[in-house]
Amino acid sequence: MIKNKSILFSLFVALLLLIIYLGSKVSFIFQPFLLLFQAVAIPLLLSMFLYYLLRPVVKYMEQHKIRRTPAILIIYVVFTIILLWFILSQWPKLTDQMVSLVNGFPDILADVKFQLSQLENNEWVASVFPSDNNIVATITEFLNKGFSSITNYVGKFFSFVSNFAIILFTTPILLFYMLKEGEKLGRKAVRATPVRFKRDMLSIITDIDKMLSGFIVGRVLVNLALGVLMYIGFLIIGLPYAFLLTVVAVIANFIPVIGAILSSVPIIIVGLTQSPATAVWALIIILAAQQVQDNLIAPYVFGKSMDIHPLTTIILVLGAGNISGIVGMIIIIPVYMILKIIVVRVFQIFFKRKWQRL
């Protein structure tokens, strides 16, 4: 038996690196599992999102003497009715604005050029920017690159929609079994844990469950409130494509910090096609809605359950975006919180006393 801890730790690291190296040499063995994961990842994530969103409704119906299976079926019927209403009444309006915005981009670009040229002749702007700096050309080039990127994303979006049939048929099935038996998974995990750690495992599962439930439900409520505030403000100032831009802002706001910045760019550009004053008012509405969200709505909804430093959030979102794109940027915060809960609990169980004795 090896009693020297340094040698034991070194052997453990060497063995781990050897396993990783050998795994890289036989990566073809894991390829089918990777393809399977890629196929079910989006439906699984969407099912988990809807599970935490709808679970309180199922529990409320159970409290009023409705069994779980009929309660889930009632929710499916109501959800189907709402989805049909959206497709028949709101989706045409949304698609019309989207097509109009894409087809009218040359006119939008011309309007932006005109407004910028007017600003360039302004004495105050001329005093701030050097005379040799062509603002119009610089911003026009930026807009052209941005439009090319948006076109690529739209293409990817429609490609995603073409594969949406798999998600459409898979997600309801996964969601049904999650709503019906999802809570049993935690109990099975606790039963499979050694007696010594059953209480700790129960605590970890409970904390993760509360965190995910609070985060998902809270994020939806906060984003909906933000969308209502922005839409009302856009209607007041007469911003074109108000409904489409609001929907984009609500969806983008699921990406922490970065999403709010990215969604503000097209809003300001569309406002600039009307006048610089409209663009300024659009920016004021965005900032005011964000302040109401961050200082009034979010603290009330989340409380102290999402105690993450803004700098940590930015680093996590940027890193996840480079690794796995938009999906990674959306899920990185809950993944980080899950890992944080597990690491803190493991440290308290195995390392806290030894650390304090150093």
Side-chain angles (χ1 to χ4, degrees):
M1 295 294 293
I2 300 174
K3 296 183 178 180
N4 190 304
K5 293 184 179 180
S6 300
I7 297 177
L8 187 62
F9 179 76
S10 301
L11 289 174
F12 172 76
V13 172
L15 181 61
L16 181 62
L17 293 175
L18 179 62
I19 292 173
I20 295 173
Y21 174 75
L22 294 176
S24 65
K25 293 299 181 181
V26 292
S27 58
F28 61 90
I29 296 177
F30 306 102
Q31 193 67 24
F33 299 100
L34 181 61
L35 294 175
L36 177 63
F37 174 76
Q38 291 176 346
V40 302
I42 299 298
L44 186 61
L45 289 173
L46 187 58
S47 300
M48 289 182 63
F49 175 83
L50 293 173
Y51 166 72
Y52 281 105
L53 200 62
L54 297 175
R55 187 178 63 174
V57 181
V58 174
K59 289 185 176 180
Y60 176 81
M61 296 175 73
E62 278 189 314
Q63 292 174 357
H64 289 75
K65 310 302 181 183
I66 301 177
R67 293 184 178 180
R68 178 159 291 218
T69 300
I72 297 171
L73 294 177
I74 291 172
I75 291 174
Y76 270 44
V77 171
V78 173
F79 189 78
T80 303
I81 293 172
I82 294 174
L83 184 62
L84 289 174
W85 168 82
F86 178 80
I87 292 173
L88 295 176
S89 64
Q90 300 300 316
W91 182 251
K93 179 180 177 181
L94 192 63
T95 52
D96 288 344
Q97 290 192 7
M98 186 182 300
V99 172
S100 176
L101 180 62
V102 173
N103 293 335
F105 181 76
D107 296 331
I108 292 175
L109 189 61
D111 292 337
V112 171
K113 284 183 180 180
F114 175 76
Q115 296 294 343
L116 290 175
S117 62
Q118 295 292 106
L119 281 176
E120 198 173 26
N121 296 327
N122 185 280
E123 295 181 1
W124 182 84
V125 175
S127 64
V128 173
F129 294 96
S131 58
D132 58 343
N133 187 8
N134 193 336
I135 305 173
V136 177
T138 303
I139 296 182
T140 302
E141 183 181 358
F142 170 77
L143 291 179
N144 285 324
K145 291 181 179 179
F147 183 71
S148 299
S149 300
I150 291 173
T151 304
N152 292 333
Y153 277 113
V154 170
K156 292 178 181 178
F157 173 76
F158 283 110
S159 175
F160 169 78
V161 171
S162 64
N163 298 324
F164 190 71
I166 299 175
I167 299 174
L168 187 63
F169 288 104
T170 307
T171 301
I173 298 173
L174 292 174
L175 177 61
F176 178 84
Y177 285 104
M178 283 184 180
L179 290 173
K180 187 178 180 181
E181 302 180 354
E183 296 176 356
K184 295 180 180 179
L185 183 62
R187 300 192 194 105
K188 291 180 179 178
V190 173
R191 285 199 296 267
T193 306
V195 177
R196 178 185 173 188
F197 301 112
K198 282 185 183 295
R199 183 177 298 179
D200 297 301
M201 176 59 75
L202 179 61
S203 177
I204 291 174
I205 292 174
T206 302
D207 290 344
I208 291 175
D209 184 69
K210 287 182 179 179
M211 183 277 298
L212 288 175
S213 178
F215 177 80
I216 292 173
V217 175
R219 180 54 63 186
V220 170
L221 293 176
V222 166
N223 286 2
L224 289 177
L226 177 70
V228 171
L229 293 173
M230 292 177 65
Y231 187 59
I232 293 173
F234 294 159
L235 291 178
I236 292 174
I237 65 174
L239 185 70
Y241 312 107
F243 182 57
L244 174 62
L245 293 173
T246 302
V247 171
V248 171
V250 170
I251 295 174
N253 205 55
F254 279 96
I255 303 174
V257 183
I258 307 297
I261 298 173
L262 294 177
S263 63
S264 301
V265 175
I267 294 172
I268 295 172
I269 291 174
V270 172
L272 194 58
T273 61
Q274 303 298 300
S275 67
T278 304
V280 172
W281 277 113
L283 179 61
I284 291 173
I285 290 170
I286 294 170
L287 294 176
Q290 289 287 345
Q291 289 300 312
V292 172
Q293 177 200 26
D294 294 338
N295 297 312
L296 295 179
I297 301 174
Y300 177 77
V301 173
F302 292 116
K304 295 183 179 180
S305 60
M306 298 299 298
D307 187 17
I308 305 178
H309 195 278
L311 182 60
T312 304
T313 301
I314 294 173
I315 294 173
L316 289 172
V317 170
L318 292 177
N322 288 329
I323 296 172
S324 56
I326 294 177
V327 175
M329 297 170 75
I330 293 174
I331 68 172
I332 186 60
I333 298 301
V335 169
Y336 167 77
M337 292 299 296
I338 290 173
L339 294 176
K340 182 180 178 181
I341 291 171
I342 295 173
V343 170
V344 169
R345 179 62 65 176
V346 169
F347 174 78
Q348 291 175 345
I349 297 172
F350 295 103
F351 304 106
K352 186 176 181 179
R353 292 182 180 178
K354 295 180 180 179
W355 178 263
Q356 291 175 345
R357 290 175 183 174
L358 292 178

